Amino acid sequence: MKGNHQQASLLSALSKQNLIPLESIDDITADFIGKKIPFIRFLIEDKSIDGNSIAKVLSKSFGHPLIQLSNFDTSLVPEGVRNEKLITKHNALPLYLRGKVLFIAMSDPTNLDALEEIQFNTGYSTELVLCDEKSLQTCIEKVLEDESAALDISDIDADELAGIDVEESRKEDANANGEDDAPIVVFINKILLDAIKKGASDLHFEPYEKSFRIRFRIDGILSEIARPPVSLSSRMAARLKVMSKLDIAERRVPQDGRIKLALSKKKSIDFRVSTLPTMWGEKVVMRILDSSSAMLGIDMLGYEPAQKKIYMEALEQPQGMILVTGPTGSGKTVSLYTGLNILNTQERNISTAEDPVEINLEGINQVQINNRAGLTFPSALRSFLRQDPDIVMVGEIRDLETAEISIKAAQTGHLVLSTLHTNSAAETLTRLLNMGVPSYNVASSVSIIIAQRLARRLCPQCKEEEPLSEMLLAEQGFPADKLADIKLFKPIGCTHCTGGYKGRVGIYEVIKISPTIASIIMEGGNSLDIAKQCQKEGYNNLRQSGLLKAMSGMTSLEEINRVTSA
């Protein structure tokens, strides 16, 4: 009976959107009796209903986010939740683990038994995301095919990493330092694995006159994790340079390289490596390039519904410019890559100019800027425009020449995505004007601006309510009509988190350039005039968006005060 009710709900939703005739519902239900395949697959194969159309209708009808799995990297599926029996039984695939929430991809939103059973077996809360049946089957087959070769990071021995030729590295290190550095090899391997396990984004190896420290950046905050003897600093730098294929003998100038660390035959992690000569040796900074962040989907990034709507509408336009702004480490790259993944279809030609290319995206033509060789942002953009592009992404607009070519592309039938380093959306417009871009070009080419920050999420295991007076809440900028109902939380700290926080969430200011804002730009208005008009049109600034995140219990007021201005 339960199955019949679920089928009826699905068929009713599809009928309301004219995918199936109302009078056919009883016949379809009768035809399905005895079938040993999921109901959605039956509708696609037996009734020739388009799977993508079904997914879009069900997403709208049942209120679940829709995710595109066509470019999903199945090696990112969490190792501990790859239960073949549950995956095949429920036609459901675990995708991502964010904190204690496991996101499950399904084509049937009525199959709540799947969410309950997976939650019971894994111990995680579950969240449903919808996808089309065909791509779901492709991903499930790939995951089950790779399962036998999958390897849990927690089981890896630091001396047995698949992607490091330990013996060869020992020889090179010995040649460089005149001794066998086997302990250094094992120690570095362990540090890299610890960073991956703890979810660090960056690693810092810092030599000083009388000390040497290693720090991890976790959820945007640096913390010290080790103090090896200062005498080991040069040997560790040499080891990291060997792994990055850099010149060990050159210690006078900065160098940049990459490491691909193979955890198994099917799973690897990329690091971007930068060395810098300091007073007391070479400082090495490593950025962990997390490809899973580029595949999150827009619903996972923290946009408010109205902000998401503006962004999605801009992505659907055939031309114009989308600008993402914020300081280094504010998540601009993830926002851009998320948009590119949405746009990445067989019908579109997409080219990007990046410095550096952090994450490889299948189906997108990515160009690494090389200033020494003459491959600059302007020269790459000029070449793009001769390559019949539909969409162009510029890593950063740094000068007038890059800005002018980008605007020209946006005005001649291309969608352009790029970033700037400014503090707010309004300041982005005045920054372009200060570069020397004519006001009429700015007003006519820029479609939307997204200013953003990343705030740490409160750990759901240990957060506690923080009682604050209505006077203090009003001073902080909370809505006056909601002061009596506001409930805020504070970090405590437990074994599941770092200082009461686990993971991060985006805080956004998303501004659509309206005719009135365009007029202010044309008339020479400053950033204050533009910001004032944005408030009149109902756009939340970064502070207001941050307070909404605090009111929802995602983060603390203390964290919002850290990342936004009061």
Side-chain angles (χ1 to χ4, degrees):
M1 294 296 293
K2 187 173 183 179
N4 290 339
H5 177 71
Q6 293 173 340
Q7 295 161 22
S9 299
L10 289 171
L11 293 172
S12 176
L14 298 175
S15 175
K16 289 178 181 178
Q17 297 298 320
N18 299 318
L19 280 186
I20 61 171
L22 181 62
E23 59 272 14
S24 300
I25 290 179
D26 291 339
D27 292 337
I28 292 174
T29 304
D31 290 345
F32 182 66
I33 295 175
K35 299 289 185 181
K36 302 296 183 182
I37 60 174
F39 188 57
I40 299 292
R41 198 181 310 165
F42 163 75
L43 294 176
I44 296 170
E45 295 177 357
D46 281 39
K47 301 302 176 183
S48 300
I49 304 176
D50 179 61
N52 288 318
S53 298
I54 291 177
K56 290 177 182 178
V57 168
L58 296 183
S59 172
K60 182 178 180 180
S61 299
F62 288 84
H64 295 294
L66 182 63
I67 188 170
Q68 299 292 333
L69 291 181
S70 55
N71 294 314
F72 180 71
D73 183 357
T74 54
S75 68
L76 302 175
V77 174
E79 304 285 354
V81 296
R82 298 186 181 196
N83 188 316
E84 181 177 352
K85 181 178 178 181
L86 289 180
I87 290 174
T88 54
K89 175 183 176 181
H90 293 296
N91 198 38
L93 180 65
L95 292 180
Y96 302 107
L97 189 59
R98 293 292 173 260
K100 285 290 182 179
V101 180
L102 183 63
F103 291 89
I104 311 295
M106 297 167 56
S107 60
D108 183 353
T110 66
N111 188 7
L112 301 181
D113 290 343
L115 299 179
E116 293 176 2
E117 191 169 350
I118 293 173
Q119 180 171 330
F120 177 80
N121 278 271
T122 63
Y124 296 114
S125 298
T126 53
E127 189 79 25
L128 169 63
V129 291
L130 278 172
C131 59
D132 70 278
E133 173 66 21
K134 183 179 179 181
S135 62
L136 176 62
Q137 282 307 301
T138 301
C139 283
I140 287 178
E141 289 170 6
K142 184 71 166 57
V143 167
L144 298 183
E145 176 186 329
D146 293 346
E147 178 59 17
S148 59
L151 184 62
D152 193 329
I153 292 175
S154 62
D155 295 331
I156 298 176
D157 188 317
D159 198 19
E160 297 178 352
L161 283 174
I164 298 178
D165 187 340
V166 177
E167 293 302 321
E168 187 63 29
S169 295
R170 286 178 185 170
K171 291 176 184 177
E172 293 194 47
D173 285 345
N175 291 337
N177 297 290
E179 54 187 300
D180 186 357
D181 272 356
I184 299 294
V185 170
V186 176
F187 180 76
I188 292 290
N189 292 355
K190 183 179 184 302
I191 289 292
L192 300 185
L193 284 176
D194 285 347
I196 295 169
K197 292 175 187 176
K198 292 179 180 180
S201 60
D202 301 86
L203 299 79
H204 292 240
F205 296 80
E206 302 170 310
Y208 299 97
E209 182 179 10
K210 297 180 180 179
S211 64
F212 176 50
R213 69 179 177 181
I214 300 174
R215 293 191 291 173
F216 290 172
R217 187 179 295 278
I218 301 174
D219 294 336
I221 304 296
L222 277 170
S223 59
E224 185 176 305
I225 58 99
R227 272 189 178 265
V230 67
S231 60
L232 298 181
S233 65
S234 62
R235 291 160 67 184
M236 286 193 188
R239 166 61 183 162
L240 291 169
K241 290 167 76 172
V242 167
M243 296 168 66
S244 311
K245 295 180 173 58
L246 300 179
D247 184 354
I248 300 174
E250 180 56 79
R251 302 178 184 178
R252 299 165 299 173
V253 296
Q255 296 186 63
D256 296 299
R258 291 175 79 101
I259 297 173
K260 181 178 284 291
L261 186 66
L263 303 176
S264 72
K265 292 181 180 179
K266 298 292 184 179
K267 184 168 181 136
S268 62
I269 300 289
D270 288 331
F271 295 82
R272 190 179 78 217
V273 182
S274 172
T275 70
L276 178 70
T278 69
M279 282 285 292
W280 309 108
E282 287 182 287
K283 174 178 178 177
V284 182
V285 175
M286 306 177 71
R287 165 68 57 88
I288 299 179
L289 304 178
D290 182 9
S291 58
S292 67
S293 62
M295 306 296 178
L296 285 178
I298 193 168
D299 292 299
M300 313 297 180
L301 300 186
Y303 286 92
E304 300 297 331
Q307 295 174 334
K308 173 190 168 184
K309 183 174 183 291
I310 294 172
Y311 190 17
M312 293 299 292
E313 287 177 349
L315 290 173
E316 292 171 0
Q317 298 302 311
Q319 65 183 54
M321 180 179 286
I322 297 173
L323 293 175
V324 183
T325 182
T328 301
S330 60
K332 300 188 298 295
T333 300
V334 173
S335 285
L336 286 177
Y337 278 5
T338 299
L340 289 177
N341 272 318
I342 293 170
L343 295 168
N344 188 14
T345 63
Q346 189 176 353
E347 297 80 21
R348 294 187 176 105
N349 177 22
I350 305 176
S351 295
T352 73
E354 305 173 62
D355 186 19
V357 174
E358 294 197 356
I359 298 171
N360 295 326
L361 300 175
E362 185 71 25
I364 293 177
N365 309 294
Q366 295 174 275
V367 174
Q368 169 69 56
I369 295 302
N370 187 339
N371 290 312
R372 288 184 179 179
L375 182 54
T376 62
F377 279 116
S379 64
L381 278 170
R382 289 191 189 94
S383 296
F384 288 171
L385 296 179
R386 294 192 292 269
Q387 295 255 319
D388 184 33
D390 297 299
I391 296 150
V392 171
M393 195 268 271
V394 186
E396 183 185 349
I397 294 177
R398 299 174 178 173
D399 50 47
L400 176 59
E401 187 179 11
T402 306
E404 287 180 335
I405 301 172
S406 299
I407 285 173
K408 177 183 176 182
Q411 292 173 332
T412 55
H414 307 91
L415 182 63
V416 179
L417 293 81
S418 190
T419 71
L420 277 171
H421 283 89
T422 59
N423 292 323
S424 68
E427 290 176 36
T428 303
L429 294 168
T430 55
R431 172 72 185 280
L432 289 172
L433 296 174
N434 291 337
M435 278 185 182
V437 179
S439 58
Y440 59 84
N441 277 342
V442 175
S444 63
S445 61
V446 179
S447 302
I448 68 166
I449 303 173
I450 302 172
Q452 65 181 81
R453 301 289 187 276
L454 288 177
R456 291 177 293 171
R457 284 181 184 266
L458 284 166
C459 173
Q461 303 292 325
C462 64
K463 68 179 182 180
E464 288 186 1
E465 188 173 346
E466 182 178 26
L468 297 173
S469 68
E470 291 190 14
M471 180 180 296
L472 178 59
L473 294 175
E475 290 175 354
Q476 291 294 320
F478 286 96
D481 59 336
K482 297 181 180 178
L483 295 178
D485 301 320
I486 291 174
K487 183 184 291 187
L488 301 181
F489 294 86
K490 62 182 178 180
I492 300 298
C494 66
T495 57
H496 300 283
C497 64
T498 303
Y501 296 98
K502 189 174 180 66
R504 289 190 286 179
V505 64
I507 297 172
Y508 303 94
E509 177 186 14
V510 183
I511 304 300
K512 182 177 180 180
I513 307 304
S514 66
T516 306
I517 295 175
S519 296
I520 294 174
I521 298 169
M522 294 285 289
E523 293 166 4
N526 57 32
S527 59
L528 293 177
D529 298 326
I530 296 169
K532 186 176 180 181
Q533 181 59 31
C534 290
Q535 287 289 292
K536 286 182 180 179
E537 295 185 17
Y539 297 120
N540 286 335
N541 59 31
L542 284 168
R543 177 71 180 177
Q544 292 165 333
S545 295
L547 295 178
L548 288 177
K549 291 290 191 297
M551 291 168 61
S552 69
M554 286 186 188
T555 189
S556 65
L557 178 59
E558 175 187 27
E559 182 68 2
I560 295 304
N561 287 335
R562 184 181 73 85
V563 300
T564 69
S565 56

